[in-house]
Amino acid sequence: MVVRRIRKAMAAVLASCVAPLLWAAWFGLAGQLWELRAEAGPPRQVAFLDSAHQRANSSESPRRDDSDDRTREDLAAPETSDRPRSEDRETRSGPLRILKQIGSHGAGLSSWARSLGALGSWTRVPFARKTRTLLSPEALDLVQRGAFPTNDPASSSRRPSHFDGTLRIVSWNIERGLQYEKIVQALKEDLPADVYLLQEVDKGARRTDLRDVASSLASELEIYFAFGIEFQELIQGRSGQPALHGQAILSRFPISQTRVLRFEHQPKDWSRDWFQPRHGGRMALVCKIETPAGKLLVYNAHLESRGSDAGRAKQMEEIITDIQRTEYSGPVVIAGDLNTETGLQSPVFQVARLNDIRLLPFERAISPASARRQKDWILGAGIAASQAIIEHRVSASDHKPVLAELRFN
């Protein structure tokens, strides 16, 4: 009886001490987020600056593939902030910054800790303010391309040194590149491949330390790359430089005919999102990979995470229609974060099957429950494929990479 009373007293004291702190933190965060939505003035649309294109051709930039006139190496926007420059600096301390570091780099942490880290990286209190300058539709559809190939065998030891007719492909949602060092290590040591299809790739965002993730990964692996913009992140940029988020294709072989397929069906209007306002829309990054066995048409897709599988099936229909419009008869790969919710019976796959595009089977039978949780898939046509593998050993993102070996028919 005495012990029970002591426990109740201790619980009451603890609650009286912790509760005010939690409420203060909540109201402080809510106030900062409200400030983001209260930013005055209508948004403006801008195109790219000419100076950005000049920087893209400077000697300091990686080599660029000139076969695509729509390419820009550096994506920039005019000055949009009227705040003093001292306020534009990213905070290097504070509880949310610490949570972000814990969530991004801590080994073996649970998902809630990573979520808290993402919360800190999204808000960047007190410096996260919504930009009023929006990229034009033409600027959103530009594709950044570059190349870092090398002939040094020592630097290429982690990648295949020859082509035996089998193409190894990896599809992976890298969660913006928050755990960049782990991602680099995984790509070099656990996932050697010819082609990488990456989703949720940041460029110039505060949450990923303003890094150009696609270009940096290509430089680490010394291969070709292309980056397409899915969204301009409206609270992640800095003065004069927009924060971008999208898909990237990294390839051991040259990349050509890159373009963005912006879906007409957009179930979610992200520009009105209170917590994560964005400008743009879901899309697929399209290109052709120039392999020794011939060209491979690739669609790196990120279907809408909000809404239903019926809406995502409409986006898959747009991909199929685009393939038919190109009158391309060679091998095709559609891969990425398809955000399916109903497993192997998803209407997303039914649309693909009706057009002779098949889902690559997994090496091990996947249960219905696991299939419903699985979001990342690889589909193909005109190729003979070994069974796909989910690489559970890699823990550098909230998604697991999917890899497969393809052989052209």
Side-chain angles (χ1 to χ4, degrees):
M1 190 70 178
V2 175
V3 174
R4 186 177 301 175
R5 289 181 177 177
I6 294 176
R7 287 178 179 176
K8 288 184 177 180
M10 293 177 63
V13 171
L14 182 62
S16 63
C17 295
V18 174
L21 295 177
L22 292 178
W23 278 109
W26 165 250
F27 282 117
L29 178 59
Q32 293 296 332
L33 293 175
W34 179 259
E35 182 182 1
L36 300 179
R37 304 300 298 173
E39 191 79 14
R44 297 182 295 118
Q45 284 195 349
V46 298
F48 288 88
L49 293 178
D50 293 337
S51 59
H53 182 51
Q54 295 173 1
R55 287 197 299 273
N57 294 287
S58 67
S59 59
E60 297 179 356
S61 300
R63 289 188 288 116
R64 194 168 62 90
D65 190 340
D66 294 325
S67 62
D68 190 347
D69 294 335
R70 293 158 55 88
T71 300
R72 296 292 183 274
E73 168 55 32
D74 195 11
L75 307 178
E79 186 82 18
T80 63
S81 174
D82 54 3
R83 289 177 290 134
R85 182 169 297 274
S86 61
E87 284 191 7
D88 189 56
R89 297 171 183 168
E90 179 182 1
T91 179
R92 295 295 176 182
S93 62
L96 292 177
R97 173 68 178 177
I98 295 172
L99 286 174
K100 186 260 182 181
Q101 292 175 338
I102 294 175
S104 300
H105 306 293
L109 291 177
S110 59
S111 59
W112 66 267
R114 286 194 297 271
S115 299
L116 288 176
L119 174 64
S121 66
W122 280 339
T123 56
R124 290 295 189 195
V125 177
F127 301 111
R129 295 189 177 182
K130 186 176 178 181
T131 180
R132 287 176 288 174
T133 302
L134 305 180
L135 296 180
S136 66
E138 294 78 14
L140 284 171
D141 286 344
L142 291 175
V143 177
Q144 173 192 4
R145 279 169 48 183
F148 298 90
T150 178
N151 295 321
D152 183 7
S155 62
S156 306
S157 59
R158 292 293 181 181
R159 294 182 284 113
S161 59
H162 65 283
F163 183 74
D164 59 0
T166 300
L167 189 75
R168 187 177 176 90
I169 187 169
V170 170
S171 178
W172 190 15
N173 180 323
I174 62 171
E175 195 186 9
R176 305 170 178 83
L178 289 172
Q179 302 183 65
Y180 179 78
E181 289 76 12
K182 286 187 175 182
I183 293 170
V184 172
Q185 182 180 4
L187 295 180
K188 287 184 175 181
E189 299 180 3
D190 302 318
L191 302 168
D194 299 298
V195 179
Y196 300 94
L197 308 181
L198 307 179
Q199 303 86 46
E200 291 197 13
V201 181
D202 271 0
K203 176 176 180 178
R206 294 177 182 274
R207 63 193 172 202
T208 45
D209 301 321
L210 307 177
R211 180 182 282 114
D212 184 345
V213 175
S215 178
S216 299
L217 290 176
S219 177
E220 293 279 356
L221 299 174
E222 299 179 335
I223 55 180
Y224 300 91
F225 82 96
F227 171 74
I229 306 169
E230 184 179 44
F231 293 109
Q232 177 188 1
E233 299 284 1
L234 300 183
I235 60 173
Q236 290 292 329
R238 64 184 305 180
S239 177
Q241 185 72 29
L244 307 175
H245 180 77
Q247 281 104 279
I249 298 175
L250 281 60
S251 173
R252 177 181 159 218
F253 305 113
I255 301 173
S256 65
Q257 301 181 36
T258 55
R259 58 189 173 89
V260 168
L261 174 62
R262 188 82 53 188
F263 299 131
E264 294 182 5
H265 182 69
Q266 299 283 345
K268 164 75 173 179
D269 184 1
W270 285 93
S271 66
R272 297 180 179 274
D273 189 82
W274 182 78
F275 190 68
Q276 193 180 14
R278 299 161 140 185
H279 171 56
R282 299 296 185 185
M283 60 85 170
L285 178 59
V286 188
C287 78
K288 289 184 178 178
I289 306 293
E290 309 282 347
T291 76
K295 293 183 178 180
L296 174 67
L297 179 60
V298 174
Y299 286 78
N300 182 3
H302 192 190
L303 305 188
E304 182 54 65
S305 58
R306 307 291 177 89
S308 65
D309 269 5
R312 287 180 277 273
K314 292 182 180 180
Q315 294 179 332
M316 177 60 74
E317 287 178 353
E318 294 187 44
I319 295 177
I320 303 300
T321 301
D322 187 78
I323 296 174
Q324 296 171 346
R325 188 184 298 116
T326 61
E327 298 181 352
Y328 175 78
S329 59
V332 179
V333 165
I334 303 173
D337 182 0
L338 306 187
N339 278 308
T340 53
E341 294 179 342
T342 53
L344 299 175
Q345 304 305 316
S346 170
V348 173
F349 303 139
Q350 295 176 13
V351 169
R353 283 195 295 268
L354 290 174
N355 294 272
D356 296 325
I357 296 178
R358 304 294 177 179
L359 179 67
L360 272 60
F362 286 107
E363 181 182 38
R364 298 178 181 177
I366 185 169
S367 67
S370 298
R372 285 192 294 270
R373 292 192 299 268
Q374 181 66 24
K375 307 295 182 183
D376 308 276
W377 308 87
I378 301 177
L379 301 89
I383 53 176
S386 64
Q387 294 173 322
I389 300 172
I390 303 175
E391 187 53 81
H392 293 284
R393 297 177 301 170
V394 177
S395 59
S397 168
D398 58 350
H399 289 243
K400 298 298 181 183
V402 179
L403 57 94
E405 292 183 353
L406 314 177
R407 186 178 294 274
F408 293 7
N409 286 340

